[in-house]
PDB file of all heavy atoms in Angstrom:
ATOM      1  N   LEU A   1    -306.410   2.040 184.398  1.00 93.00           N
ATOM      2  CA  LEU A   1    -307.844   2.203 184.704  1.00 93.00           C
ATOM      3  C   LEU A   1    -308.489   3.224 183.757  1.00 93.00           C
ATOM      4  O   LEU A   1    -309.595   2.969 183.256  1.00 93.00           O
ATOM      5  CB  LEU A   1    -308.021   2.636 186.147  1.00 93.00           C
ATOM      6  CG  LEU A   1    -307.572   1.663 187.146  1.00 93.00           C
ATOM      7  CD1 LEU A   1    -307.593   2.213 188.559  1.00 93.00           C
ATOM      8  CD2 LEU A   1    -308.393   0.378 187.110  1.00 93.00           C
ATOM      9  N   ASP A   2    -307.764   4.286 183.370  1.00 94.00           N
ATOM     10  CA  ASP A   2    -308.310   5.256 182.519  1.00 94.00           C
ATOM     11  C   ASP A   2    -308.442   4.680 181.040  1.00 94.00           C
ATOM     12  O   ASP A   2    -309.294   5.226 180.253  1.00 94.00           O
ATOM     13  CB  ASP A   2    -307.404   6.541 182.438  1.00 94.00           C
ATOM     14  CG  ASP A   2    -307.466   7.327 183.696  1.00 94.00           C
ATOM     15  OD1 ASP A   2    -308.487   7.149 184.508  1.00 94.00           O
ATOM     16  OD2 ASP A   2    -306.645   8.120 183.896  1.00 94.00           O
ATOM     17  N   SER A   3    -307.723   3.672 180.754  1.00 95.00           N
ATOM     18  CA  SER A   3    -307.761   3.095 179.412  1.00 95.00           C
ATOM     19  C   SER A   3    -308.975   2.125 179.226  1.00 95.00           C
ATOM     20  O   SER A   3    -309.214   1.708 178.124  1.00 95.00           O
ATOM     21  CB  SER A   3    -306.518   2.371 179.071  1.00 95.00           C
ATOM     22  OG  SER A   3    -306.403   1.090 179.774  1.00 95.00           O
ATOM     23  N   LEU A   4    -309.581   1.716 180.291  1.00 94.00           N
ATOM     24  CA  LEU A   4    -310.658   0.694 180.247  1.00 94.00           C
ATOM     25  C   LEU A   4    -311.885   1.306 179.545  1.00 94.00           C
ATOM     26  O   LEU A   4    -312.336   2.417 179.842  1.00 94.00           O
ATOM     27  CB  LEU A   4    -311.029   0.182 181.612  1.00 94.00           C
ATOM     28  CG  LEU A   4    -309.894  -0.590 182.339  1.00 94.00           C
ATOM     29  CD1 LEU A   4    -310.250  -0.944 183.727  1.00 94.00           C
ATOM     30  CD2 LEU A   4    -309.487  -1.865 181.525  1.00 94.00           C
ATOM     31  N   THR A   5    -312.529   0.469 178.716  1.00 95.00           N
ATOM     32  CA  THR A   5    -313.805   0.869 178.045  1.00 95.00           C
ATOM     33  C   THR A   5    -314.929  -0.041 178.544  1.00 95.00           C
ATOM     34  O   THR A   5    -314.611  -1.095 179.156  1.00 95.00           O
ATOM     35  CB  THR A   5    -313.622   0.735 176.580  1.00 95.00           C
ATOM     36  OG1 THR A   5    -313.435  -0.620 176.253  1.00 95.00           O
ATOM     37  CG2 THR A   5    -312.492   1.623 176.016  1.00 95.00           C
ATOM     38  N   SER A   6    -316.077   0.279 178.213  1.00 93.00           N
ATOM     39  CA  SER A   6    -317.217  -0.586 178.520  1.00 93.00           C
ATOM     40  C   SER A   6    -317.112  -1.946 177.903  1.00 93.00           C
ATOM     41  O   SER A   6    -317.385  -2.925 178.525  1.00 93.00           O
ATOM     42  CB  SER A   6    -318.551   0.111 178.073  1.00 93.00           C
ATOM     43  OG  SER A   6    -318.801   1.225 178.856  1.00 93.00           O
ATOM     44  N   ASP A   7    -316.643  -1.924 176.667  1.00 94.00           N
ATOM     45  CA  ASP A   7    -316.403  -3.274 175.995  1.00 94.00           C
ATOM     46  C   ASP A   7    -315.453  -4.156 176.786  1.00 94.00           C
ATOM     47  O   ASP A   7    -315.702  -5.406 176.916  1.00 94.00           O
ATOM     48  CB  ASP A   7    -315.909  -3.044 174.538  1.00 94.00           C
ATOM     49  CG  ASP A   7    -316.999  -2.537 173.636  1.00 94.00           C
ATOM     50  OD1 ASP A   7    -318.141  -2.632 173.981  1.00 94.00           O
ATOM     51  OD2 ASP A   7    -316.564  -1.939 172.625  1.00 94.00           O
ATOM     52  N   VAL A   8    -314.313  -3.564 177.294  1.00 95.00           N
ATOM     53  CA  VAL A   8    -313.344  -4.371 178.029  1.00 95.00           C
ATOM     54  C   VAL A   8    -313.982  -4.780 179.380  1.00 95.00           C
ATOM     55  O   VAL A   8    -313.833  -5.965 179.792  1.00 95.00           O
ATOM     56  CB  VAL A   8    -312.062  -3.539 178.257  1.00 95.00           C
ATOM     57  CG1 VAL A   8    -311.162  -4.207 179.309  1.00 95.00           C
ATOM     58  CG2 VAL A   8    -311.366  -3.231 177.002  1.00 95.00           C
ATOM     59  N   LEU A   9    -314.731  -3.906 180.032  1.00 95.00           N
ATOM     60  CA  LEU A   9    -315.366  -4.211 181.314  1.00 95.00           C
ATOM     61  C   LEU A   9    -316.399  -5.270 181.167  1.00 95.00           C
ATOM     62  O   LEU A   9    -316.671  -6.019 182.151  1.00 95.00           O
ATOM     63  CB  LEU A   9    -315.949  -2.975 181.950  1.00 95.00           C
ATOM     64  CG  LEU A   9    -314.817  -1.953 182.340  1.00 95.00           C
ATOM     65  CD1 LEU A   9    -315.505  -0.635 182.731  1.00 95.00           C
ATOM     66  CD2 LEU A   9    -313.934  -2.449 183.494  1.00 95.00           C
ATOM     67  N   LEU A  10    -316.937  -5.484 179.970  1.00 95.00           N
ATOM     68  CA  LEU A  10    -318.028  -6.527 179.828  1.00 95.00           C
ATOM     69  C   LEU A  10    -317.413  -7.889 179.331  1.00 95.00           C
ATOM     70  O   LEU A  10    -318.158  -8.789 179.221  1.00 95.00           O
ATOM     71  CB  LEU A  10    -319.020  -6.065 178.729  1.00 95.00           C
ATOM     72  CG  LEU A  10    -319.959  -4.948 179.218  1.00 95.00           C
ATOM     73  CD1 LEU A  10    -320.745  -4.353 178.057  1.00 95.00           C
ATOM     74  CD2 LEU A  10    -320.823  -5.481 180.296  1.00 95.00           C
ATOM     75  N   THR A  11    -316.064  -7.945 179.125  1.00 95.00           N
ATOM     76  CA  THR A  11    -315.489  -9.202 178.739  1.00 95.00           C
ATOM     77  C   THR A  11    -315.327 -10.088 179.895  1.00 95.00           C
ATOM     78  O   THR A  11    -315.281  -9.654 181.146  1.00 95.00           O
ATOM     79  CB  THR A  11    -314.150  -9.041 178.050  1.00 95.00           C
ATOM     80  OG1 THR A  11    -313.216  -8.388 178.964  1.00 95.00           O
ATOM     81  CG2 THR A  11    -314.257  -8.187 176.808  1.00 95.00           C
ATOM     82  N   ASP A  12    -315.298 -11.441 179.719  1.00 96.00           N
ATOM     83  CA  ASP A  12    -315.059 -12.394 180.718  1.00 96.00           C
ATOM     84  C   ASP A  12    -313.703 -12.225 181.327  1.00 96.00           C
ATOM     85  O   ASP A  12    -312.713 -12.060 180.672  1.00 96.00           O
ATOM     86  CB  ASP A  12    -315.227 -13.797 180.248  1.00 96.00           C
ATOM     87  CG  ASP A  12    -316.628 -14.182 179.898  1.00 96.00           C
ATOM     88  OD1 ASP A  12    -317.574 -13.700 180.504  1.00 96.00           O
ATOM     89  OD2 ASP A  12    -316.778 -15.029 178.955  1.00 96.00           O
ATOM     90  N   LEU A  13    -313.633 -12.312 182.680  1.00 95.00           N
ATOM     91  CA  LEU A  13    -312.360 -12.321 183.416  1.00 95.00           C
ATOM     92  C   LEU A  13    -311.769 -13.685 183.233  1.00 95.00           C
ATOM     93  O   LEU A  13    -312.489 -14.701 183.396  1.00 95.00           O
ATOM     94  CB  LEU A  13    -312.600 -12.006 184.899  1.00 95.00           C
ATOM     95  CG  LEU A  13    -311.298 -11.957 185.750  1.00 95.00           C
ATOM     96  CD1 LEU A  13    -310.411 -10.771 185.316  1.00 95.00           C
ATOM     97  CD2 LEU A  13    -311.725 -11.785 187.203  1.00 95.00           C
ATOM     98  N   LEU A  14    -310.559 -13.786 182.849  1.00 96.00           N
ATOM     99  CA  LEU A  14    -309.892 -15.073 182.544  1.00 96.00           C
ATOM    100  C   LEU A  14    -308.872 -15.428 183.605  1.00 96.00           C
ATOM    101  O   LEU A  14    -308.178 -14.563 184.141  1.00 96.00           O
ATOM    102  CB  LEU A  14    -309.244 -15.085 181.173  1.00 96.00           C
ATOM    103  CG  LEU A  14    -310.068 -14.716 180.001  1.00 96.00           C
ATOM    104  CD1 LEU A  14    -309.247 -14.653 178.728  1.00 96.00           C
ATOM    105  CD2 LEU A  14    -311.239 -15.709 179.856  1.00 96.00           C
ATOM    106  N   LEU A  15    -308.781 -16.760 183.965  1.00 96.00           N
ATOM    107  CA  LEU A  15    -307.689 -17.256 184.759  1.00 96.00           C
ATOM    108  C   LEU A  15    -307.146 -18.487 183.969  1.00 96.00           C
ATOM    109  O   LEU A  15    -307.851 -19.386 183.647  1.00 96.00           O
ATOM    110  CB  LEU A  15    -308.240 -17.712 186.090  1.00 96.00           C
ATOM    111  CG  LEU A  15    -307.231 -18.381 187.057  1.00 96.00           C
ATOM    112  CD1 LEU A  15    -306.128 -17.422 187.438  1.00 96.00           C
ATOM    113  CD2 LEU A  15    -307.867 -18.900 188.283  1.00 96.00           C
ATOM    114  N   LYS A  16    -305.822 -18.330 183.662  1.00 97.00           N
ATOM    115  CA  LYS A  16    -305.209 -19.370 182.834  1.00 97.00           C
ATOM    116  C   LYS A  16    -305.955 -19.600 181.546  1.00 97.00           C
ATOM    117  O   LYS A  16    -306.109 -20.713 181.062  1.00 97.00           O
ATOM    118  CB  LYS A  16    -305.015 -20.671 183.661  1.00 97.00           C
ATOM    119  CG  LYS A  16    -304.131 -20.476 184.902  1.00 97.00           C
ATOM    120  CD  LYS A  16    -303.942 -21.748 185.608  1.00 97.00           C
ATOM    121  CE  LYS A  16    -303.130 -21.486 186.866  1.00 97.00           C
ATOM    122  NZ  LYS A  16    -302.937 -22.748 187.638  1.00 97.00           N
ATOM    123  N   GLY A  17    -306.473 -18.509 180.951  1.00 95.00           N
ATOM    124  CA  GLY A  17    -307.158 -18.561 179.700  1.00 95.00           C
ATOM    125  C   GLY A  17    -308.588 -19.022 179.741  1.00 95.00           C
ATOM    126  O   GLY A  17    -309.257 -19.149 178.711  1.00 95.00           O
ATOM    127  N   LYS A  18    -309.105 -19.301 180.929  1.00 97.00           N
ATOM    128  CA  LYS A  18    -310.511 -19.754 181.024  1.00 97.00           C
ATOM    129  C   LYS A  18    -311.329 -18.764 181.869  1.00 97.00           C
ATOM    130  O   LYS A  18    -310.903 -18.193 182.841  1.00 97.00           O
ATOM    131  CB  LYS A  18    -310.553 -21.155 181.668  1.00 97.00           C
ATOM    132  CG  LYS A  18    -309.783 -22.205 180.928  1.00 97.00           C
ATOM    133  CD  LYS A  18    -309.941 -23.506 181.584  1.00 97.00           C
ATOM    134  CE  LYS A  18    -309.147 -24.567 180.767  1.00 97.00           C
ATOM    135  NZ  LYS A  18    -309.176 -25.898 181.427  1.00 97.00           N
ATOM    136  N   PRO A  19    -312.621 -18.575 181.407  1.00 96.00           N
ATOM    137  CA  PRO A  19    -313.510 -17.652 182.140  1.00 96.00           C
ATOM    138  C   PRO A  19    -313.736 -18.111 183.605  1.00 96.00           C
ATOM    139  O   PRO A  19    -313.801 -19.299 183.883  1.00 96.00           O
ATOM    140  CB  PRO A  19    -314.845 -17.670 181.420  1.00 96.00           C
ATOM    141  CG  PRO A  19    -314.457 -18.291 180.076  1.00 96.00           C
ATOM    142  CD  PRO A  19    -313.298 -19.133 180.249  1.00 96.00           C
ATOM    143  N   VAL A  20    -313.795 -17.185 184.502  1.00 94.00           N
ATOM    144  CA  VAL A  20    -313.920 -17.508 185.910  1.00 94.00           C
ATOM    145  C   VAL A  20    -315.371 -17.292 186.439  1.00 94.00           C
ATOM    146  O   VAL A  20    -315.659 -17.539 187.575  1.00 94.00           O
ATOM    147  CB  VAL A  20    -312.923 -16.714 186.867  1.00 94.00           C
ATOM    148  CG1 VAL A  20    -311.484 -17.034 186.500  1.00 94.00           C
ATOM    149  CG2 VAL A  20    -313.249 -15.196 186.750  1.00 94.00           C
ATOM    150  N   GLY A  21    -316.307 -16.801 185.510  1.00 92.00           N
ATOM    151  CA  GLY A  21    -317.652 -16.679 185.905  1.00 92.00           C
ATOM    152  C   GLY A  21    -318.055 -15.238 186.231  1.00 92.00           C
ATOM    153  O   GLY A  21    -319.208 -15.093 186.802  1.00 92.00           O
ATOM    154  N   GLN A  22    -317.173 -14.315 185.890  1.00 93.00           N
ATOM    155  CA  GLN A  22    -317.629 -12.952 186.150  1.00 93.00           C
ATOM    156  C   GLN A  22    -316.943 -12.068 185.073  1.00 93.00           C
ATOM    157  O   GLN A  22    -315.925 -12.477 184.484  1.00 93.00           O
ATOM    158  CB  GLN A  22    -317.262 -12.429 187.517  1.00 93.00           C
ATOM    159  CG  GLN A  22    -315.767 -12.517 187.868  1.00 93.00           C
ATOM    160  CD  GLN A  22    -315.608 -12.034 189.268  1.00 93.00           C
ATOM    161  OE1 GLN A  22    -316.297 -11.212 189.809  1.00 93.00           O
ATOM    162  NE2 GLN A  22    -314.504 -12.509 189.907  1.00 93.00           N
ATOM    163  N   THR A  23    -317.430 -10.861 184.853  1.00 94.00           N
ATOM    164  CA  THR A  23    -316.833  -9.991 183.887  1.00 94.00           C
ATOM    165  C   THR A  23    -315.677  -9.239 184.516  1.00 94.00           C
ATOM    166  O   THR A  23    -315.604  -9.172 185.797  1.00 94.00           O
ATOM    167  CB  THR A  23    -317.796  -8.982 183.321  1.00 94.00           C
ATOM    168  OG1 THR A  23    -318.285  -8.157 184.369  1.00 94.00           O
ATOM    169  CG2 THR A  23    -318.994  -9.689 182.652  1.00 94.00           C
ATOM    170  N   VAL A  24    -314.856  -8.597 183.733  1.00 94.00           N
ATOM    171  CA  VAL A  24    -313.832  -7.762 184.212  1.00 94.00           C
ATOM    172  C   VAL A  24    -314.417  -6.622 185.116  1.00 94.00           C
ATOM    173  O   VAL A  24    -313.931  -6.291 186.185  1.00 94.00           O
ATOM    174  CB  VAL A  24    -312.931  -7.158 183.054  1.00 94.00           C
ATOM    175  CG1 VAL A  24    -312.008  -6.073 183.558  1.00 94.00           C
ATOM    176  CG2 VAL A  24    -312.173  -8.223 182.319  1.00 94.00           C
ATOM    177  N   GLY A  25    -315.492  -6.044 184.570  1.00 93.00           N
ATOM    178  CA  GLY A  25    -316.200  -4.956 185.365  1.00 93.00           C
ATOM    179  C   GLY A  25    -316.682  -5.418 186.700  1.00 93.00           C
ATOM    180  O   GLY A  25    -316.539  -4.727 187.697  1.00 93.00           O
ATOM    181  N   SER A  26    -317.318  -6.556 186.691  1.00 91.00           N
ATOM    182  CA  SER A  26    -317.823  -7.056 188.032  1.00 91.00           C
ATOM    183  C   SER A  26    -316.686  -7.456 188.956  1.00 91.00           C
ATOM    184  O   SER A  26    -316.856  -7.119 190.148  1.00 91.00           O
ATOM    185  CB  SER A  26    -318.711  -8.341 187.778  1.00 91.00           C
ATOM    186  OG  SER A  26    -319.926  -7.949 187.199  1.00 91.00           O
ATOM    187  N   ALA A  27    -315.644  -7.947 188.441  1.00 92.00           N
ATOM    188  CA  ALA A  27    -314.476  -8.227 189.260  1.00 92.00           C
ATOM    189  C   ALA A  27    -313.859  -6.936 189.876  1.00 92.00           C
ATOM    190  O   ALA A  27    -313.503  -6.859 191.081  1.00 92.00           O
ATOM    191  CB  ALA A  27    -313.356  -8.981 188.509  1.00 92.00           C
TER     192      ALA A  27
END
C-alpha cells in the first residue's frame, strides 16, 4: 500500500487482462 502512487491508483483495474470499469484507486 505504501508503494502505490497516484499514477498507479488512476490506472484501470484489470481482470484477466481486461478493464473492469473502475480504477485501482476507486476499487
Side-chain angles (χ1 to χ4, degrees):
L1 296 172
D2 289 342
S3 75
L4 296 174
T5 64
S6 292
D7 288 339
V8 171
L9 294 171
L10 288 169
T11 61
D12 288 328
L13 181 66
L14 304 176
L15 176 64
K16 298 181 182 179
K18 296 182 181 177
V20 300
Q22 63 182 331
T23 65
V24 170
S26 289

